[in-house]
């Protein structure tokens, strides 16, 4: 059984704070790492797809980095806003065509 | 483009019954995958279909089955329901099911087994 772990499980920050969370995954047989944002009562929505060691992606105030050799990815949110409140999921895909999702980090941004 | 559509949105069943869930992918997407979400757990992969063939399967009992039609619509069936099958079932589509393609998720079917 393959383990994808996310930390922390939950996070409460004030509006304007910057924050980051971690996704750990196996460092072997890597193919891709995805990040999704899942807002309450909505569907998970893709943020980033990363495939290369050292990849850095950015979308507005949100960015992500990837280290496949040590098996981790960081998601950063700069200047958190209440609308960033959601669960952030990472998903690892190895060379065997299945996605393994972490349990998610639930972010709550207080105005 | 219309998004991924899942029906029904909610289902209540009793133990021992069977249930069929439906997923219509984004037009042109040929890969459909299914996931189970239970409280405290991450999304657990059930299976993936591509061009009407099951390409991959997760670690679920044989009571969980699926199929895909020629128009890429997919159905998931759970027979002999157990209380532990109560969960949110999500499907996701992508063009070819490659790891570098982002997944497009439906809104899910919330199944309650009484």
């Amino acid at each position: 059984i393959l383990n994808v772990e996310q930390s922390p499980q939950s996070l409460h920050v004030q509006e304007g704070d910057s924050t980051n969370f971690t996704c750990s995954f196996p460092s072997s047989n890597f193919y891709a790492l995805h990040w999704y944002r899942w807002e309450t009562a909505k569907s998970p929505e893709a943020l980033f797809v990363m495939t290369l060691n050292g990849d850095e992606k950015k979308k507005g105030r949100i960015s992500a980095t990837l280290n496949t050799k040590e098996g981790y990815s960081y998601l950063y949110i700069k200047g958190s806003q209440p609308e960033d409140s959601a669960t952030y999921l990472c998903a690892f895909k190895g060379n065997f065509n299945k996605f393994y999702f972490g349990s998610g980090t639930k972010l709550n941004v207080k105005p | 483009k219309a998004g991924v559509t899942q029906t029904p949105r909610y289902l209540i069943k009793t133990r021992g019954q069977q249930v069929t869930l439906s997923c219509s992918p984004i037009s042109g997407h040929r890969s459909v995958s299914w996931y189970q979400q239970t409280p405290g757990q991450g999304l657990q992969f059930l299976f993936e279909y591509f061009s009407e063939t099951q390409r991959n399967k997760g670690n679920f009992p044989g009571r969980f089955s699926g199929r895909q039609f020629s128009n890429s619509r997919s159905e998931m069936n759970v027979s002999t329901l157990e209380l532990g099958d109560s969960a949110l079932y999500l499907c996701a589509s992508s063009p070819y099911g490659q790891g570098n393609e982002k997944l497009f998720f439906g809104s899910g079917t919330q199944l309650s087994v009484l």
Side-chain angles (χ1 to χ4, degrees), chain A residues 34 36 38 43 93 97-98, chain B residues 37 56-57 97 99 101 103 106:
Chain A
H34 293 212
Y36 291 85
W38 195 357
S43 313
K93 192 159 192 178
N97 222 32
K98 291 183 193 182
Chain B
Q37 164 101 43
N56 237 303
K57 192 175 188 319
E101 297 170 351
L103 299 175

Side-chain angles (χ1 to χ4, degrees), chain A residues 71-84:
Chain A
Y72 64 83
S73 176
Y74 293 137
L75 189 78
Y76 301 92
I77 302 179
K78 187 177 176 184
S80 302
Q81 299 297 307
E83 58 265 30
D84 296 328

Side-chain angles (χ1 to χ4, degrees), chain A residues 1 9 31-34 36 38 41-46 49 51 89 93 96-104, chain B residues 9 35 37 40-43 45 48 55-59 88 90 97-107:
Chain A
I1 293 180
Q9 278 192 322
Y31 188 86
L33 194 284
H34 293 212
Y36 291 85
W38 195 357
K42 294 189 177 179
S43 313
E45 185 182 327
V49 175
T51 57
L89 299 174
K93 192 159 192 178
F96 27 71
N97 222 32
K98 291 183 193 182
F99 274 105
Y100 291 86
F101 279 81
S103 299
Chain B
R9 189 74 180 88
Y35 298 86
Q37 164 101 43
Q41 295 275 328
L43 296 178
F45 172 78
E48 188 228 353
R55 199 156 63 170
N56 237 303
K57 192 175 188 319
N59 297 324
L88 177 68
L90 287 168
Q98 297 301 306
N100 57 355
E101 297 170 351
K102 56 185 178 182
L103 299 175
F104 292 83
F105 284 88
S107 299

Side-chain angles (χ1 to χ4, degrees), chain A:
Chain A
I1 293 180
L2 193 147
N3 256 352
V4 177
E5 294 185 357
Q6 291 189 247
S7 61
Q9 278 192 322
S10 65
L11 203 49
H12 297 262
V13 301
Q14 289 293 136
E15 183 176 352
D17 287 349
S18 293
T19 187
N20 66 85
F21 9 101
T22 307
C23 173
S24 301
F25 51 86
S27 55
S28 58
N29 295 316
F30 176 87
Y31 188 86
L33 194 284
H34 293 212
W35 282 99
Y36 291 85
R37 174 167 58 200
W38 195 357
E39 295 178 67
T40 304
K42 294 189 177 179
S43 313
E45 185 182 327
L47 286 171
F48 305 115
V49 175
M50 295 187 285
T51 57
L52 297 174
N53 184 44
D55 250 356
E56 290 187 21
K57 300 273 186 178
K58 190 174 179 186
K59 186 177 179 179
R61 294 177 293 96
I62 305 178
S63 60
T65 61
L66 178 68
N67 184 323
T68 61
K69 295 188 178 190
E70 295 182 41
Y72 64 83
S73 176
Y74 293 137
L75 189 78
Y76 301 92
I77 302 179
K78 187 177 176 184
S80 302
Q81 299 297 307
E83 58 265 30
D84 296 328
S85 296
T87 296
Y88 291 83
L89 299 174
C90 69
F92 166 83
K93 192 159 192 178
N95 296 326
F96 27 71
N97 222 32
K98 291 183 193 182
F99 274 105
Y100 291 86
F101 279 81
S103 299
T105 293
K106 188 170 183 179
L107 175 66
N108 182 35
V109 183
K110 296 179 184 176

Side-chain angles (χ1 to χ4, degrees), chain B residues 27-81:
Chain B
S27 177
H29 285 191
R30 291 161 64 187
S31 169
V32 175
S33 51
W34 288 88
Y35 298 86
Q36 182 196 63
Q37 164 101 43
T38 50
Q41 295 275 328
L43 296 178
Q44 302 290 313
F45 172 78
L46 281 153
F47 26 66
E48 188 228 353
Y49 285 87
F50 180 79
S51 291
E52 301 179 67
T53 301
Q54 187 181 87
R55 199 156 63 170
N56 237 303
K57 192 175 188 319
N59 297 324
F60 279 82
R63 300 184 296 106
F64 291 80
S65 63
R67 58 179 176 166
Q68 187 179 35
F69 302 94
S70 58
N71 61 358
S72 293
R73 188 177 72 85
S74 177
E75 286 182 348
M76 189 190 99
N77 185 274
V78 188
S79 62
T80 321
L81 283 165

